[in-house]
Amino acid sequence: MKIDDIDMSILTELQRDARLSMRELGRLVNLSAPSVTERVKRLEDSGMIEGYTIQINRKKLGFTMDCLIEVTIQHGDHKRFKSFVENYPTVLSCYRIAGKACYMVLLTVSQLDEIEAFLDEISAYTSTLTHVVFSEVKINTALEQHTPLLS
């Protein structure tokens, strides 16, 4: 799908505030509400907009520790691990990676023993290396910083 500057403006505004009304979004990008609604629908239908989410402050919910866990699967038991990690309640993300490890898991917990419990459950068929996160560097993910589709 080819997108233009107006589509990028729509995506940028929705990234800033996904709760904008179509009328307000149209005002921000200089289009009528029906025109902007049509463009947003096209962006959704093409998969450019995958969904609308909220950001939750995990620390305020009691999840005060994050850790990154490098997981190396032993005996090719990838299906078992994927099935386990897909439904684990405190896993925020899991990536299949290249290098010494097979996966990188981001786990959020309220106590250290929760990390240990996770590791205990997979220790029979994996080896792991755990990194406790002290702080996060906030990255600017605003679309106006990254526009390869318009190049």
Side-chain angles (χ1 to χ4, degrees), residues 16-78:
R16 283 189 193 127
D17 183 359
R19 296 176 60 190
L20 289 170
S21 69
M22 289 299 123
R23 183 169 37 160
E24 181 64 16
L25 180 57
R27 188 186 66 72
L28 291 169
V29 299
N30 297 316
L31 286 178
S32 68
S35 293
V36 82
T37 300
E38 182 178 314
R39 282 180 177 255
V40 168
K41 175 122 177 61
R42 185 172 47 85
L43 290 165
E44 291 170 344
D45 290 346
S46 72
M48 191 74 62
I49 296 175
E50 292 183 330
Y52 300 86
T53 64
I54 61 171
Q55 291 181 329
I56 297 172
N57 185 322
R58 296 186 319 267
K59 304 271 186 251
K60 290 189 178 191
L61 288 174
F63 298 104
T64 56
M65 287 179 268
D66 294 338
C67 68
L68 293 164
I69 304 171
E70 296 177 44
V71 178
T72 303
I73 304 298
Q74 298 170 349
H75 313 296
D77 216 344
H78 292 273

Side-chain angles (χ1 to χ4, degrees), residues 56-116:
I56 297 172
N57 185 322
R58 296 186 319 267
K59 304 271 186 251
K60 290 189 178 191
L61 288 174
F63 298 104
T64 56
M65 287 179 268
D66 294 338
C67 68
L68 293 164
I69 304 171
E70 296 177 44
V71 178
T72 303
I73 304 298
Q74 298 170 349
H75 313 296
D77 216 344
H78 292 273
K79 276 187 173 181
R80 181 178 177 188
F81 176 74
K82 285 170 68 175
S83 176
F84 170 77
V85 80
E86 284 171 347
N87 298 299
Y88 202 83
T90 57
V91 169
L92 295 178
S93 59
C94 179
Y95 299 96
R96 179 96 188 248
I97 60 172
K100 288 183 179 181
C102 302
Y103 295 92
M104 184 67 74
V105 176
L106 176 58
L107 191 67
T108 187
V109 299
S110 58
Q111 300 176 32
L112 283 174
D113 62 351
E114 295 173 71
I115 298 170
E116 185 178 14

